[in-house]
Amino acid sequence: MHQRHLPASPNWYCSRCSDINGKGVLGFGAKNTIYLLNVTASSPAVTGELTGHTERVSGFAFCPHDGQERICASTSDDKTVKIWDAGQKILLKEHNVHQSTISAVHWSPVQKLLLVTGDEKGIVVCYWFSSNDTQSFFPEPRTIFCLSCSPHEENYIAVGYKDGMIVVIDISKKGEVIHRLRGHDDEIHALAWCPQPREETKMISEMSLIRSIDGSNGVTEAAEMGCYLASGSRDQTVRIWSTARGKGVMTLKLPFLKRRGAGVDPVVKERLWLTVHWPKGQPSQIVSSCFGGEIIMWDLMKSGKQKWSLLGSSSDGQNHSRIVFNMSSFRSGDRELLLSTSMDREIKCWDLASLECCWTLPTLGGFVYCLSFSPVGTGCLALGIGDSMIRVWNTLSIQNQYDIKTFWQGIKSKVTALAWHPIKEGTLAFGTDDGKVGINEVYSNKPPQISSTYHHRTVYSLSWGPPVPPMSFGGSGDKPSYSLYSCAGEGVIFQHDPWKLSGEASNIDKLIRDTNNIKHKIPPHTDLSWKPDGSVLAIGNEDGSIEVLKAPMLKLLCTVQQHHKIINSLRWHHEHSSQNELQYLLASGSSNAIVYVHDLKSVIETPSESPVLMTEPFRTLSGHTNKITSLAWSPHHDGRLVTVCYDGTAQVWDVLKEEPVCNYRGHSGRLLCVQWSTVHPDLVWTGGDDFTLHEWAVSKQEHVTPPKSKKRAEMEKKRGPQKKSKKKKVAPEKGRMKAEERELPLGEEIKGAAEEGQSENDKEEEERENTDGPSVTGNGPSFLLLWYFVYIIFFILDLSLKKRKPRSILPLSTSMDHRPKEELQQDCLTLAAVRYSHGNGTCVPGSGAHIQLGLFTDRDALYRMFQEEGDHVEAGHYDSMVYLRLWKGDLIGAITLAAEKGELTDHLLSLAPMAGYQVWARTVEAYVKQLCHHEQFLKAASHLVSIHKLYEAINLLKSHQLYREAIALARARLQPEDPVLKNLYMSWAAVLEKDGHYATAAKCYLAADSNFDAAKVIAKKGDVISLRTAANLAQISGESELAHSLSLRCAKDLMLFQDWAAAQEVLRTQDSLLGHRLVFSVNEILTQRLADTDVVTWSVASSHTWSKSCEENFLSMVHRVWQSEFGVAATDLVQVKMLHQQLRTVENPPATTSVPLKQLLFHISLDVTLCALSQLLCDWPSVLEELLQALTRGYEAGHFTLMAEIISYFFHVGLFHLCLCSIKLDSTDERSLVISQSVEALVCYQLMYKKWWNYSAETSALTNNTISNGHRLTEKNHSEVEANCNGEAQSDVIFSEGFWKVLLSEPHANLQATQRAIAEIQRRVTSLIQQHNPCKDTNANISNSSFLSLLSSESLSTLTARVAEHHKALAAIPELVKKYPFPDVMECCIVLLHMEKHFSPFPPHIHSKATTLLCKYGTTELLCKSWKRLTQ
């Protein structure tokens, strides 16, 4: 399904989260998914996914038994164990015996289909897959980190714990602990059994020798039957244990490896994960990880100090750069291959014989936000990932198909936008989700340059383009040839100088506003795209509008009002197309799930003085069911576009045909970005929020269109439930809120509804337990006990209700009055001595032991008492200290203390003026800060007003989102022209608009005299009522252009509902929309007439009496209605001419087979309106030209019945009426004659088919066949045509010579044959390229064997030469012949020859001419087959 695939990164910190089976299939857990890879020594290939877990996968293991290699098991943080068939990718069984997070898993290598798992609570669960039985053990009350089943004893399981303990248990003895292996003092990360079944004596002696060299005690006991066990721990050691004796026999300490130019990082030592692996067939060698991502091979039989060898030591870049978590090995042919996963997000394959790295598969640790192919470095693809790294992939590398370089310096955030420099190789601009913009040189080791101007939100788009003022000022050598433009979530576009990123970037909105004299608010921008030649800039806005501006002054050329939601992506068509006009196509995608393509050729080549408003797209591509996130044009095709969407699919479109080509559904999440391969025309790259990047071929997809909305629900289920971050009880009748679209960090899981329900049940059970106890009656001891408790409760309540004595403000002196009576009496004597004696220096009243006397002597003593009481009160009773200072008269001190401690009150504030104005003002400011701290913003603002700080009060309210109160205050106190008032209204309007309160936001805009913005925000809702209100508002406020566009948009919406009366009512309010009123009237009349023929099957909501169908000629009826209802008549030629010129400027795109009938009728109505106006002006060439356009729409849309009805309305007497019109043409005007010939040919073409279907005996067989022009007619259409046939009157015309002379035009036959030949050769060239492409499957076959032989005989150069010849012949054909449409001449010849068999013979020279034309121009295989089938 896909070619190459970058999967999500394997999960970290799991003892066994990856494993490989004997067939070379590697599985690993990434987020809540298991990815499967086919592994060889040359390269990996992602083959599929196993999805079903709702939380992070914590373990994965394959069944090791022969014939069962496809069986695998996975564990997850959702506490489930699932058994899978990796071959069919289906779930076989599952169990949820564990009640805690599962941390270890392993299949028994001996006991068939036994799966053992362990959890963080210490529970070991054995699960027999064949019988579906489980058995649980609890050997130790510790947290399990890893476990491993013995490959030799079926009942032995080794379990490693978090605290360093290792136990070996026997499950046949109810989990009895056989050995407790003590030696490690930290987490056990991995356990591995020796593949050799018994402990060899020779190996023991060798190990003893090594231990003695290391200073360890030797093994003196005799060897017993058993098996060695290796363990890796966070304590930086690998230990080898003897299970026969239950002791350690060897300790291996990790070496400190120095990398070139760097020392050992202490942080790396702390963040160690030591995994071990014992390869099969190598009992004397163990592989383990090391500090910084190195992998080392230990040789247990080797003597000396260095018993290890480093894998990948021959060259730099082979080792992992961060710690390794898991390792597993398998035998591929005669080579033993080791697979390792690491924190550096790479999977590596190692050859254990040579110790060299075979290949590296990069993986992704975040959303794939953006992709960008270098325009200079062929095949160089840049990836912006949510793991804060940029990856640059050389997709054309032959030796390494995953040749990827990673850049992380200076980024430190999710990479959300990328853009290569157009001409400078290796220069890559990037933007991040924290608003950073930088430039990285990918071919150097220098850190990136970062712009000094940061965005306030996520950078969504980057683009290189020509400089605009002010950067474009100066000489050519003073400025760069390209500027870097960035657009971010706050709606601003900055222009950065790549030569001086340290300088300030300029906001281009100022230039746009000055150049175009814009007074209203510019809508926030969401995307930008420069036309490849740098002449035009397209900007997408939050309101769904697209602005097209001409460089360098950014003059507004036109505004596209088609989308009604935020624009997510804009892309210009490439310039190297075979059709030059395609370079003016602009594709746009928004959140309304529809892609529009606009043709801006006329706007760019012949710009008008005032900006043009475009409301009709060139093509409409509908099919996606969610918002469009990215677009990309194929650089190899004309009009081929790929789009990606939140519905999880990528869709390829043929824009010119308005048809879907294929749909890719390989992702398991929402798609965020897409790029078409710059090298291969059949390959597309897509990335999404499933952390993966896919390369896939367009020609290999089985689906054509996007899935229905039902698929979206399935994909959401596949991604797993989005659970709430907090446990929250929700009433059953209120339901649950939708999950937000957000990126959760890996492993950050959230509690769900099931747990909520469990907690509710537990609560109910507790309540039942409380109410199920014995009841209390009036007898027995329980009754007395109850009364006793009641008495105690009332006693406590009585105590609490008593008034408490207030705390004294002078606690020290008060406490001195509660001393014994003798001491109190002594105080009286001391006081008397102080008052009436002199020279007593031992007593100082108010301080120390005589503090209580300060109250009874002089003021100085009182102040001393206050001071000591204050020192005590400052422990926390600030109010008491304030009162003391107030009583002393220290008002400033009291206020200062209260302000410092945040204890200011209204009472203190009222006293502050007594200390002076400055003190009062400072006190108010301090009180305001205190009030703001307590979120009393209104009171704080009022106090600021009291000291005349009005603007500060307004800003205070504004900063805390109290806009209504801020505006009330500003309106009451400021002058009406004060700019602060307008700023308040605009700020509040922006907040209201963001929250969806559009009506209130419009009031704010109106109050700020921003009428344009008021109307725009009202129209943002997009419904008919809002559009009508917005249009009336714009009309009242003088925004006539906006009122014009909104009224027209509202009327078109009403037209789609067939509410004609309301549509005309809306248009009537705008005098400038008189021309559109005429179009709507024609559309209504045409729809009413077609309703009688069953072409129109829908009901009409409302209509006018003048539109009812009648026998009157169609154009006569139109002119009569115009004159009576709209005042438009031939007598006022100035008005008619003005209306004709106005409608000629309206965009009217060509029709396709997929255009809806209502839209097709509206486009035809515009052509018919122009035709009717030209008739009033007596401009007969224009009458026929515009009529030809109307007929051509029905012809190109494949709606033959509609074309026939329109012809009958205009030429109710057939060709005779057409001849009357042609007589009025100037015979010397070649253009008019060619137009007349085309109209006559379409009329004859329709009459020819009428005659054939009415009288041919083979009608039923032929109506189900498709002729070369693509028309397919149903039985219903056939009956309609037959009912409208005029019989004999037209029969005579059919057999006339002039009739066939019109259809059998040799110049048109030559033109059509040349175009068919060019298209056929282009198809052959494309098939030839794809056939020889190495990326294509070798078994790809082409159905047509003759075509294969033709391809083998023709070379690419021959086909190219033939195309050049045909283009030369095409250039020789007159332009007028090529300009106007004409029926397929070869088709007419075939029908003529077929009809000749059933009717009277045609003139011989007519038969001869048809045969000659077929022989000369009908050489294609399809025409030859049709000729033979219809004429045999």
Side-chain angles (χ1 to χ4, degrees):
M1 196 173 188
H2 42 252
Q3 310 290 311
R4 283 179 286 185
H5 187 149
L6 290 186
S9 298
N11 292 336
W12 297 350
Y13 299 106
C14 301
S15 62
R16 194 190 309 273
C17 202
S18 68
D19 195 13
I20 191 166
N21 64 13
K23 301 295 184 181
V25 178
L26 173 69
F28 62 88
K31 298 196 303 175
N32 58 354
T33 304
I34 298 104
Y35 288 89
L36 301 175
L37 282 72
N38 275 339
V39 174
T40 63
S42 58
S43 65
V46 179
T47 59
E49 304 170 8
L50 303 177
T51 57
H53 287 293
T54 58
E55 297 186 27
R56 183 189 69 121
V57 174
S58 59
F60 178 80
F62 275 106
C63 180
H65 299 287
D66 294 338
Q68 304 292 333
E69 294 90 351
R70 70 182 187 281
I71 305 298
C72 57
S74 62
T75 62
S76 169
D77 290 346
D78 60 14
K79 303 172 186 175
T80 63
V81 178
K82 296 181 183 290
I83 315 297
W84 310 85
D85 186 329
Q88 299 182 13
K89 301 178 183 61
I90 58 174
L91 179 65
L92 300 177
K93 294 181 181 180
E94 66 175 305
H95 76 77
N96 54 358
V97 176
H98 289 281
Q99 299 301 314
S100 300
T101 302
I102 306 170
S103 55
V105 61
H106 194 213
W107 286 93
S108 172
V110 182
Q111 196 169 159
K112 194 169 185 180
L113 298 179
L114 168 61
L115 179 68
V116 184
T117 53
D119 62 31
E120 292 181 351
K121 294 297 184 182
I123 305 297
V124 176
V125 176
C126 294
Y127 174 73
W128 284 267
F129 172 68
S130 55
S131 61
N132 208 30
D133 294 332
T134 59
Q135 192 172 1
S136 300
F137 308 102
F138 187 47
E140 295 283 338
R142 311 169 191 265
T143 300
I144 295 176
F145 249 57
C146 59
L147 60 80
S148 181
C149 301
S150 171
H152 313 298
E153 172 54 54
E154 65 176 9
N155 296 317
Y156 279 16
I157 300 173
V159 183
Y161 292 94
K162 183 177 182 181
D163 59 359
M165 171 69 75
I166 301 172
V167 300
V168 179
I169 64 173
D170 188 341
I171 61 174
S172 65
K173 299 179 181 179
K174 298 183 179 181
E176 178 184 341
V177 176
I178 305 300
H179 298 294
R180 283 184 173 86
L181 307 178
R182 294 180 174 89
H184 291 294
D185 55 9
D186 212 336
E187 302 164 356
I188 306 298
H189 291 159
L191 294 170
W193 293 88
C194 178
Q196 186 168 303
R198 61 181 64 191
E199 299 176 6
E200 294 289 342
T201 306
K202 179 181 178 182
M203 193 169 179
I204 293 174
S205 62
E206 293 289 343
M207 290 185 179
S208 303
L209 177 63
I210 296 172
R211 284 174 57 103
S212 63
I213 292 174
D214 290 340
S216 309
N217 294 327
V219 178
T220 59
E221 300 179 7
E224 299 178 10
M225 295 294 292
C227 181
Y228 290 121
L229 176 68
S231 60
S233 170
R234 193 182 178 187
D235 63 7
Q236 305 177 13
T237 63
V238 177
R239 292 180 182 264
I240 311 298
W241 308 87
S242 169
T243 58
R245 297 173 304 283
K247 293 182 179 180
V249 296
M250 182 180 292
T251 301
L252 306 172
K253 294 185 178 180
L254 292 185
F256 295 136
L257 302 174
K258 283 190 177 182
R259 299 190 177 184
R260 297 181 183 178
V264 179
D265 188 357
V267 179
V268 173
K269 290 185 183 180
E270 292 293 327
R271 196 176 53 203
L272 170 67
W273 188 273
L274 207 169
T275 183
V276 296
H277 176 71
W278 212 319
K280 294 180 180 179
Q282 301 182 33
S284 63
Q285 293 180 327
I286 294 179
V287 183
S288 76
S289 60
C290 201
F291 292 105
E294 302 88 354
I295 300 177
I296 52 180
M297 172 80 79
W298 299 91
D299 189 345
L300 306 181
M301 305 292 288
K302 187 177 180 181
S303 61
K305 289 188 176 181
Q306 183 166 330
K307 296 172 287 297
W308 51 267
S309 301
L310 181 64
L311 273 68
S313 59
S314 62
S315 61
D316 286 342
Q318 288 198 50
N319 277 295
H320 289 288
S321 59
R322 303 176 79 180
I323 55 177
V324 175
F325 291 112
N326 299 130
M327 294 185 293
S328 55
S329 65
F330 82 110
R331 181 162 290 276
S332 175
D334 59 346
R335 304 172 68 180
E336 185 79 14
L337 301 181
L338 177 76
L339 281 302
S340 60
T341 64
S342 167
M343 187 184 278
D344 63 5
R345 306 190 189 281
E346 289 183 343
I347 300 174
K348 288 182 179 288
C349 178
W350 305 85
D351 187 340
L352 290 182
S354 63
L355 303 186
E356 297 297 325
C357 181
C358 301
W359 49 258
T360 300
L361 175 65
T363 60
L364 307 178
F367 291 6
V368 184
Y369 285 106
C370 49
L371 301 172
S372 181
F373 269 107
S374 172
V376 182
T378 307
C380 192
L381 176 65
L383 290 69
I385 312 297
D387 56 9
S388 305
M389 290 189 284
I390 299 172
R391 292 166 174 81
V392 177
W393 186 353
N394 180 13
T395 61
L396 300 183
S397 176
I398 299 175
Q399 296 180 349
N400 180 11
Q401 61 174 341
Y402 292 100
D403 182 9
I404 297 178
K405 293 177 64 177
T406 302
F407 301 89
W408 54 269
Q409 288 184 331
I411 298 175
K412 300 178 182 179
S413 187
K414 300 171 185 176
V415 181
T416 53
L418 293 170
W420 290 95
H421 196 282
I423 57 175
K424 189 178 179 182
E425 187 174 7
T427 300
L428 177 64
F430 65 89
T432 65
D433 75 329
D434 60 356
K436 185 188 305 176
V437 176
I439 298 177
N440 212 330
E441 298 294 338
V442 300
Y443 297 124
S444 72
N445 296 323
K446 296 179 180 179
Q449 304 177 57
I450 305 298
S451 174
S452 61
T453 304
Y454 275 63
H455 286 279
H456 299 308
R457 293 190 182 179
T458 302
V459 178
Y460 288 128
S461 181
L462 292 172
S463 182
W464 293 90
V468 300
M471 194 180 298
S472 61
F473 297 143
S476 58
D478 300 332
K479 63 180 184 295
S481 56
Y482 287 93
S483 294
L484 177 61
Y485 297 85
S486 60
C487 180
E490 74 270 23
V492 175
I493 296 177
F494 284 131
Q495 177 186 203
H496 306 266
D497 186 350
W499 288 2
K500 192 178 180 182
L501 285 179
S502 58
E504 185 178 356
S506 59
N507 187 342
I508 69 170
D509 279 354
K510 184 179 185 304
L511 177 63
I512 295 174
R513 191 182 294 276
D514 295 342
T515 301
N516 301 283
N517 195 24
I518 297 176
K519 303 299 182 184
H520 57 79
K521 183 185 116 178
I522 295 180
H525 307 308
T526 56
D527 195 23
L528 77 156
S529 179
W530 278 97
K531 197 170 179 293
D533 61 3
S535 61
V536 176
L537 173 64
I539 296 177
N541 297 322
E542 191 179 80
D543 60 0
S545 63
I546 302 171
E547 297 168 342
V548 181
L549 306 107
K550 187 174 181 59
M553 299 306 296
L554 300 186
K555 175 178 172 53
L556 183 62
L557 299 179
C558 79
T559 301
V560 179
Q561 288 281 1
Q562 193 64 48
H563 296 280
H564 305 321
K565 293 187 178 181
I566 182 172
I567 301 295
N568 296 320
S569 185
L570 292 171
R571 293 294 182 272
W572 290 94
H573 194 281
H574 56 83
E575 293 189 304
H576 48 274
S577 171
S578 60
Q579 305 177 43
N580 185 54
E581 61 274 9
L582 295 183
Q583 65 172 305
Y584 299 101
L585 296 184
L586 176 66
S588 57
S590 72
S591 295
N592 63 356
I594 299 178
V595 178
Y596 292 110
V597 181
H598 289 86
D599 186 359
L600 302 174
K601 181 179 180 180
S602 59
V603 173
I604 296 174
E605 289 188 341
T606 57
S608 60
E609 294 182 1
S610 59
V612 177
L613 177 65
M614 296 186 66
T615 57
E616 289 295 331
F618 173 73
R619 291 290 184 265
T620 302
L621 309 176
S622 57
H624 283 297
T625 57
N626 211 319
K627 73 176 185 178
I628 310 298
T629 52
S630 186
L631 313 165
W633 291 96
S634 168
H636 314 281
H637 307 85
D638 291 346
R640 185 70 61 91
L641 181 71
V642 60
T643 60
V644 293
C645 174
Y646 263 20
D647 63 12
T649 68
Q651 179 65 40
V652 179
W653 307 88
D654 188 329
V655 173
L656 300 182
K657 296 181 180 179
E658 208 172 29
E659 295 176 351
V661 176
C662 77
N663 183 259
Y664 178 68
R665 306 183 185 182
H667 285 270
S668 60
R670 303 169 298 184
L671 298 194
L672 304 177
C673 54
V674 63
Q675 280 284 298
W676 209 296
S677 172
T678 56
V679 178
H680 195 292
D682 197 42
L683 295 183
V684 177
W685 301 74
T686 50
D689 67 358
D690 57 357
F691 288 38
T692 63
L693 172 71
H694 292 194
E695 176 195 37
W696 48 274
V698 174
S699 59
K700 294 183 181 179
Q701 305 311 311
E702 58 182 15
H703 301 287
V704 177
T705 57
K708 302 299 180 183
S709 56
K710 183 179 179 181
K711 177 70 176 178
R712 179 183 171 191
E714 294 176 359
M715 298 204 60
E716 291 293 332
K717 186 177 179 181
K718 191 176 182 182
R719 295 174 57 217
Q722 298 279 347
K723 299 181 180 179
K724 297 184 180 179
S725 59
K726 291 186 179 179
K727 202 170 184 178
K728 196 171 183 180
K729 295 178 183 178
V730 181
E733 67 272 12
K734 291 183 180 179
R736 301 193 180 276
M737 296 180 65
K738 295 181 180 178
E740 293 292 331
E741 297 174 350
R742 62 193 182 273
E743 178 179 355
L744 295 178
L746 189 61
E748 185 178 322
E749 302 298 340
I750 304 170
K751 304 247 179 181
E755 295 176 353
E756 292 178 14
Q758 183 65 33
S759 64
E760 290 290 327
N761 295 337
D762 293 345
K763 184 177 179 181
E764 291 175 5
E765 289 176 4
E766 291 175 4
E767 291 175 354
R768 284 197 295 270
E769 290 175 1
N770 293 334
T771 57
D772 288 345
S775 61
V776 178
T777 63
N779 300 320
S782 60
F783 178 76
L784 296 177
L785 185 63
L786 174 63
W787 274 108
Y788 174 74
F789 280 118
V790 170
Y791 174 77
I792 294 296
I793 291 171
F794 274 104
F795 178 75
I796 295 172
L797 289 175
D798 184 60
L799 290 178
S800 64
L801 291 174
K802 289 183 178 180
K803 281 190 175 182
R804 296 182 62 185
K805 187 177 180 179
R807 179 178 53 83
S808 174
I809 199 171
L810 302 170
L812 291 179
S813 58
T814 302
S815 64
M816 297 294 284
D817 290 339
H818 292 84
R819 291 176 298 160
K821 181 172 63 174
E822 293 80 4
E823 295 183 12
L824 294 177
Q825 291 175 354
Q826 183 63 38
D827 285 346
C828 294
L829 296 175
T830 305
L831 179 62
V834 169
R835 289 183 61 86
Y836 299 106
S837 302
H838 300 281
N840 188 2
T842 59
C843 176
V844 181
S847 65
H850 303 94
I851 185 174
Q852 72 279 9
L853 300 181
L855 194 64
F856 305 101
T857 55
D858 55 8
R859 181 176 296 178
D860 293 335
L862 181 69
Y863 282 1
R864 286 195 296 271
M865 184 183 74
F866 280 1
Q867 183 64 36
E868 292 207 11
E869 291 281 3
D871 294 340
H872 177 72
V873 172
E874 280 183 354
H877 306 299
Y878 306 116
D879 53 344
S880 300
M881 185 61 189
V882 168
Y883 288 139
L884 292 177
R885 292 194 178 185
L886 283 176
W887 293 349
K888 287 171 60 176
D890 187 8
L891 179 59
I892 296 177
I895 293 175
T896 302
L897 174 64
E900 290 175 354
K901 303 302 182 181
E903 296 291 334
L904 283 172
T905 61
D906 291 334
H907 172 61
L908 285 176
L909 190 64
S910 65
L911 297 177
M914 297 170 58
Y917 177 80
Q918 296 298 330
V919 174
W920 174 58
R922 287 198 301 269
T923 305
V924 169
E925 292 176 357
Y927 194 34
V928 165
K929 292 181 180 178
Q930 180 180 317
L931 291 172
C932 290
H933 181 70
H934 293 91
E935 298 185 356
Q936 299 182 34
F937 306 116
L938 294 176
K939 189 175 181 180
S942 300
H943 283 296
L944 285 175
V945 173
S946 68
I947 58 174
H948 306 294
K949 291 196 172 185
L950 185 59
Y951 290 105
E952 288 82 352
I954 293 172
N955 286 332
L956 173 65
L957 295 173
K958 176 186 173 183
S959 63
H960 294 92
Q961 305 292 312
L962 297 172
Y963 288 102
R964 192 182 299 273
E965 293 77 5
I967 290 174
L969 177 59
R971 272 290 184 194
R973 302 295 293 271
L974 297 180
Q975 294 296 324
E977 63 274 7
D978 196 307
V980 172
L981 191 59
K982 182 175 182 179
N983 180 264
L984 277 175
Y985 280 121
M986 297 298 287
S987 300
W988 192 23
V991 173
L992 291 168
E993 185 177 351
K994 184 179 179 181
D995 294 340
H997 305 300
Y998 299 136
T1000 311
K1003 296 174 188 175
C1004 292
Y1005 284 130
L1006 287 172
D1009 293 327
S1010 185
N1011 304 323
F1012 185 93
D1013 297 320
K1016 289 280 285 186
V1017 75
I1018 286 288
K1020 204 167 186 178
K1021 199 168 184 65
D1023 59 290
V1024 171
I1025 297 176
S1026 299
L1027 291 173
R1028 182 181 296 182
T1029 304
N1032 292 336
L1033 192 154
Q1035 180 69 18
I1036 294 171
S1037 57
E1039 298 287 347
S1040 57
E1041 292 185 3
L1042 182 59
H1044 176 104
S1045 63
L1046 291 175
S1047 298
L1048 184 58
R1049 179 177 159 190
C1050 179
K1052 287 186 177 180
D1053 287 349
L1054 290 168
M1055 180 268 295
L1056 293 177
F1057 294 109
Q1058 300 294 287
D1059 193 351
W1060 300 108
Q1064 288 288 351
E1065 185 66 27
V1066 170
L1067 296 174
R1068 185 178 289 111
T1069 60
Q1070 307 292 328
D1071 294 336
S1072 60
L1073 293 176
L1074 178 58
H1076 292 279
R1077 293 183 66 192
L1078 301 182
V1079 177
F1080 275 72
S1081 67
V1082 171
N1083 196 358
E1084 184 178 354
I1085 296 171
L1086 183 60
T1087 303
Q1088 293 283 28
R1089 289 215 175 188
L1090 291 174
D1092 299 336
T1093 63
D1094 292 335
V1095 173
V1096 172
T1097 57
W1098 54 80
S1099 59
V1100 176
S1102 67
S1103 62
H1104 299 88
T1105 56
W1106 44 258
S1107 65
K1108 301 300 180 183
S1109 181
C1110 61
E1111 298 299 327
E1112 186 179 4
N1113 178 267
F1114 182 80
L1115 281 181
S1116 300
M1117 180 181 179
V1118 168
H1119 291 153
R1120 176 178 58 79
V1121 170
W1122 284 1
Q1123 184 172 3
S1124 61
E1125 299 294 331
F1126 307 105
V1128 177
T1131 54
D1132 191 352
L1133 293 180
V1134 176
Q1135 183 190 31
V1136 173
K1137 189 173 182 179
M1138 181 194 68
L1139 292 173
H1140 189 274
Q1141 291 176 350
Q1142 178 189 6
L1143 294 180
R1144 285 293 296 268
T1145 61
V1146 176
E1147 183 73 17
N1148 205 9
T1152 61
T1153 55
S1154 60
V1155 64
L1157 182 57
K1158 289 182 181 179
Q1159 188 176 352
L1160 178 63
L1161 286 177
F1162 186 78
H1163 293 164
I1164 291 175
S1165 300
L1166 178 57
D1167 294 327
V1168 172
T1169 304
L1170 289 170
C1171 176
L1173 289 172
S1174 298
Q1175 186 176 6
L1176 293 178
L1177 294 171
C1178 297
D1179 186 358
W1180 298 108
S1182 297
V1183 169
L1184 285 179
E1185 183 177 6
E1186 286 144 1
L1187 177 59
L1188 174 62
Q1189 292 176 356
L1191 298 179
T1192 303
R1193 292 187 188 280
Y1195 175 77
E1196 292 180 346
H1199 209 303
F1200 189 87
T1201 308
L1202 177 61
M1203 184 180 73
E1205 290 299 330
I1206 294 175
I1207 289 175
S1208 66
Y1209 296 157
F1210 283 89
F1211 309 110
H1212 53 280
V1213 292
L1215 291 177
F1216 177 73
H1217 193 181
L1218 178 60
C1219 293
L1220 293 177
C1221 296
S1222 301
I1223 292 174
K1224 301 176 182 179
L1225 300 176
D1226 185 0
S1227 59
T1228 61
D1229 187 358
E1230 185 179 358
R1231 171 176 166 273
S1232 301
L1233 296 178
V1234 172
I1235 294 173
S1236 175
Q1237 183 184 5
S1238 294
V1239 173
E1240 191 175 357
L1242 288 174
V1243 174
C1244 294
Y1245 178 81
Q1246 178 258 341
L1247 294 175
M1248 176 188 71
Y1249 269 103
K1250 276 189 177 182
K1251 182 66 176 178
W1252 181 19
W1253 289 329
N1254 283 324
Y1255 296 102
S1256 176
E1258 299 177 4
T1259 300
S1260 60
L1262 293 176
T1263 52
N1264 293 325
N1265 293 327
T1266 302
I1267 313 302
S1268 60
N1269 69 344
H1271 297 305
R1272 183 182 294 275
L1273 294 176
T1274 62
E1275 295 294 337
K1276 181 178 179 181
N1277 290 340
H1278 178 204
S1279 62
E1280 292 170 355
V1281 174
E1282 184 175 2
N1284 290 296
C1285 182
N1286 291 324
E1288 296 298 329
Q1290 294 180 357
S1291 178
D1292 297 336
V1293 176
I1294 296 294
F1295 296 101
S1296 66
E1297 181 177 348
F1299 179 90
W1300 293 108
K1301 185 177 180 181
V1302 172
L1303 289 175
L1304 305 184
S1305 170
E1306 185 166 0
H1308 291 92
N1310 181 25
L1311 171 65
Q1312 295 164 2
T1314 305
Q1315 291 172 340
R1316 276 192 295 266
I1318 293 174
E1320 179 67 18
I1321 294 175
Q1322 289 176 342
R1323 185 174 69 87
R1324 291 179 183 177
V1325 170
T1326 303
S1327 300
L1328 188 63
I1329 293 174
Q1330 293 180 358
Q1331 183 188 14
H1332 293 286
N1333 184 10
C1335 296
K1336 296 285 287 183
D1337 290 343
T1338 56
N1339 296 326
N1341 35 348
I1342 301 175
S1343 58
N1344 195 340
S1345 58
S1346 61
F1347 182 59
L1348 261 179
S1349 60
L1350 184 61
L1351 277 178
S1352 59
S1353 62
E1354 290 181 325
S1355 65
L1356 185 62
S1357 58
T1358 304
L1359 293 174
T1360 306
R1362 290 180 58 188
V1363 168
E1365 293 177 3
H1366 286 301
H1367 276 294
K1368 187 176 180 180
L1370 190 65
I1373 299 175
E1375 290 297 326
L1376 289 176
V1377 175
K1378 293 186 287 186
K1379 183 176 181 181
Y1380 298 103
F1382 199 89
D1384 194 325
V1385 179
M1386 295 298 99
E1387 177 187 349
C1388 296
C1389 292
I1390 294 173
V1391 174
L1392 182 148
L1393 296 177
H1394 172 72
M1395 292 176 62
E1396 192 177 26
K1397 297 193 304 182
H1398 302 279
F1399 301 99
S1400 57
F1402 294 112
H1405 63 278
I1406 296 296
H1407 174 89
S1408 175
K1409 185 174 182 180
T1411 306
T1412 302
L1413 290 176
L1414 275 172
C1415 294
K1416 186 174 181 181
Y1417 301 109
T1419 56
T1420 62
E1421 185 178 355
L1422 181 60
L1423 285 173
C1424 293
K1425 286 183 179 180
S1426 301
W1427 185 7
K1428 291 179 182 178
R1429 186 173 67 251
L1430 294 177
T1431 57
Q1432 62 185 0

